[in-house]
Amino acid sequence: MLPEAVAAMAGALAGHGNASSLHTSGRRARQAVEESRERVAASFGAGPSEVVFTTGGTEADNLAVKGLYWARRAADPRRRRVLATAVEHHAVLDPVDWLGEHEDAEVVRLPVDRLGRLRVEALHEALAEPETVALIAVMWANNEVGTIQPVADVVAAARRNGIPVHTDAVQAAGQLPIDFAASGVDCLAVSAHKIGGPLGVGALLVRRGLDLTPVLHGGGQEGGIRSGTLDTPAITAFGVAAEIATRTLPEVAPRIAALRDDLVDAVTDRVPDAVLRGDPDAAGRLPGNAHFTFPGCEGDSLLYLLDARGVECSTGSACQAGVPQPSHVLLAMAVPEQEARGALRFSLGRTSSAADVSALAEAIGPVVERARRAGLAAPAAS
Ligand code: PLP
């Protein structure tokens, strides 16, 4: 967390009531929440009334996917089809599949190319009968391989057909400028812990006037769209982090992109057969993302060996760590399963330094050697 966000949160933990209470402490909490709402809105190009606070990206994605589906179907039962790219985070894919299993949705996975980018022509084909489509989900940028998606093309196609678009911008926020209004999307998910804010808070930006059926029912907070007592300290810190992340982006993004390029050079220099996945062109990828597959290695082995040397990275989506399956993102990019097993994602942030890149450069060669030897020594799977 950014120190400023920690300070804001600590102050609010000690001093606030329930933002829905009418007494003095409650009104003070309400004021803090509304100030934070304005900060989050201004940071991402939305109006304050378009910000719905949630417990993070997962809840925001669930609210968008289920809320749009239910609202659209209630208005027209023919709208059964839910279109989502094959590389969405599980916070989008799983609610989409759940709608397929429990709510009579027809799920359409939109294919991506070898860089992990949506094939826009496949979207156009899937829109052959637009009156049957409930919503389209396309993430702003992929969390594993960092590929930036053609959100503007999706919005253009959706608009022509009157279909709402949800975008998961959890990974893009803090790394790319985000303008909700200019993007033309209808819903956009962000999460505080990706931008220097606390865990357990985020927001769904919801275009004014959009019909969205709530997932959580109760006290009617957040305009009735998301019931539950607001976490004033976390929301306060989220607002501070959003403001700082946005203000410092023009300086931070090029700096971490340059470090990332050094990291890619260092890794491919030490391990010449490592394969950079995602878009090799900096304009098409998140500045803080470098993703490789290492032939003949298990990603998990590499992760633990690097961790022992003080380098912390991920085999793919951190939210999936521990699940011993190749990433659905890499498989959708037509990476063979065996190669996908050797995946590692290195993420850089505002505190990353040249010393961090040097530490990885020193460690990666011996670590890959060792993981390869271990792989050779492992008994064949029966
Ligand atoms: N969407 C993307 C693209 C993510 O990377 C993540 C988390 O890593 C999420 C959604 C889930 O967000 P949260 O951890 O706030 O629930």
Side-chain angles (χ1 to χ4, degrees), residues 54-61 87-92 139 141-144 168-172 189-194 198-202 317-319 345:
T54 66
T55 52
T58 302
E59 190 195 327
D61 283 332
V87 295
E88 295 298 305
H89 190 275
H90 280 286
V92 168
M139 65 203 317
N142 184 263
N143 49 301
E144 292 187 35
D168 174 339
V170 167
Q171 203 69 216
V190 283
S191 178
H193 72 92
K194 303 289 184 193
L199 296 157
V201 64
S317 165
C319 316
R345 176 187 68 173

Side-chain angles (χ1 to χ4, degrees), residues 124-180:
H124 290 141
E125 282 163 29
L127 289 175
E129 291 174 83
E131 67 285 357
T132 63
V133 179
L135 68 129
I136 306 172
V138 55
M139 65 203 317
W140 197 293
N142 184 263
N143 49 301
E144 292 187 35
V145 295
T147 301
I148 299 169
Q149 298 295 340
V151 173
D153 293 339
V154 175
V155 168
R159 277 246 171 108
R160 279 197 294 278
N161 294 294
I163 300 166
V165 176
H166 167 60
T167 191
D168 174 339
V170 167
Q171 203 69 216
Q175 295 203 53
L176 299 174
I178 298 216
D179 188 330
F180 176 64

Side-chain angles (χ1 to χ4, degrees), residues 18 20 30 52 218-230:
N18 180 339
S20 298
R30 172 57 59 184
V52 176
Q221 289 88 346
E222 298 298 89
I225 292 179
R226 196 273 174 192
S227 286
T229 300
L230 291 168

Side-chain angles (χ1 to χ4, degrees), residues 326-351:
S327 140
H328 68 284
V329 172
L330 295 177
L331 297 182
M333 290 161 60
V335 176
E337 190 171 327
Q338 195 52 40
E339 287 178 42
R341 290 191 178 278
L344 273 194
R345 176 187 68 173
F346 301 99
S347 306
L348 298 99
R350 62 182 54 243
T351 58

